Amino acid sequence: MSPSPLHEWDLAPREAIALQKRLAGRVEREDRLGEVRRIAGVDIGFEDGGATTRAAVVVLAWPPEPAGSLAVVEQAVHREPTRMPYIPGLLSFREVPAALGAFATLTTRPQLVMVDGQGIAHPRRLGVASHLGLWLDLPTIGVAKTRLCGRHAEPGPWRGDWVPLADSGAEGEEEVIGAVLRSRAKVKPIFVSSGHRVSLPTALDWVIRCLGRTKLPEPTRLADRLASRRDQKQNSTTR
């Protein structure tokens, strides 16, 4: 699956920030997704001291098998030279190109994508999950291990407990930008936010439904596991 180009990637930081502000207005925070039969998980990392970006995508069948596991339908690992140095707040310009390269090799089009990263829980409301969702024109959810911005109370200690993640909007008003979810009892929470075409309640519902025995939902957990396998380096595509 190869999406239509959304914009050029060769941008100076000031241009990238201006583009983020424009694209954030195109992010849909309400539900626009149909029946979900395939869920993709995305994990993006770096190698060679940051010179190479690595993206892993795992596509899973929904609903789960009788035993409770999610069957892997397709998977891909893509590596390419990193396009932008590390600049806080501009990680999507560093990460999304490789993710698009991985999606381009897939023959299966998922109906929902979970990304290891932020959705709208971003200072300019355009984290990697939102940016990728706009490029793919697919519903996406951000599932991050750490907070990038916003304030929150401590969620309860049990699996499924959550509290809102709030931040000041452009006009200074308080805005809920995500949820701080206890995905495993007495373990540090994860940060869930709308990416694109998914509301926060729906994002929370899907993340909880996809939880297994570990802290992360199965789509991003399996993408992370795929990305960490050294033997995948021989089978990955490079652009």
Side-chain angles (χ1 to χ4, degrees):
M1 51 178 291
S2 298
S4 300
L6 183 66
H7 59 77
E8 297 295 328
W9 290 106
D10 186 17
L11 300 173
R14 181 177 297 179
E15 296 172 318
I17 290 171
L19 179 59
Q20 279 183 328
K21 293 177 180 178
R22 293 197 301 271
L23 291 178
R26 297 173 56 178
V27 171
E28 299 177 33
R29 302 188 187 188
E30 300 301 324
D31 293 328
R32 185 162 69 88
L33 68 168
E35 181 183 12
V36 175
R37 305 294 295 177
R38 299 288 185 267
I39 303 176
V42 182
D43 179 83
I44 304 163
F46 299 89
E47 301 171 352
D48 308 323
T52 301
T53 308
R54 177 200 65 241
V57 179
V58 177
V59 181
L60 305 172
W62 186 269
E65 296 179 331
S69 60
L70 297 175
V72 175
V73 176
E74 192 175 4
Q75 59 188 29
V77 176
H78 174 83
R79 290 173 170 83
E80 65 173 62
T82 301
R83 299 180 184 229
M84 180 179 278
Y86 172 75
I87 302 173
L90 294 179
L91 291 186
S92 64
F93 289 88
R94 187 169 156 88
E95 298 180 349
V96 169
L100 293 173
F103 273 95
T105 69
L106 298 178
T107 60
T108 306
R109 182 175 175 85
Q111 291 83 43
L112 180 63
V113 181
M114 290 188 188
V115 183
D116 185 348
Q118 309 290 349
I120 66 167
H122 178 278
R124 289 177 288 278
R125 309 299 184 254
L126 195 84
V128 60
S130 297
H131 204 160
L132 182 61
L134 287 173
W135 265 93
L136 298 174
D137 191 25
L138 283 174
T140 56
I141 299 170
V143 184
K145 303 180 189 73
T146 58
R147 178 183 61 85
L148 180 60
C149 65
R151 301 169 295 279
H152 64 89
E154 185 69 12
W158 306 113
R159 172 173 161 151
D161 290 341
W162 68 276
V163 293
L165 176 67
D167 195 22
S168 298
E171 304 299 326
E173 76 283 2
E174 193 79 351
E175 177 184 13
V176 174
I177 58 173
V180 185
L181 172 67
R182 191 80 68 187
S183 56
R184 189 177 181 188
K186 301 180 180 180
V187 170
K188 288 184 178 180
I190 58 176
F191 296 80
V192 178
S193 59
S194 304
H196 180 51
R197 291 173 50 181
V198 181
S199 67
L200 180 57
T202 298
L204 265 174
D205 178 61
W206 273 108
V207 169
I208 292 171
R209 291 168 75 182
C210 288
L211 289 175
R213 297 181 179 179
T214 64
K215 173 178 177 175
L216 297 177
E218 286 296 281
T220 56
R221 185 188 73 83
L222 291 174
D224 176 77
R225 191 176 73 171
L226 173 66
S228 66
R229 292 179 182 172
R230 292 182 179 179
D231 59 357
Q232 293 296 333
K233 187 173 291 187
Q234 303 301 321
N235 300 321
S236 62
T237 59
T238 303
R239 180 178 71 172

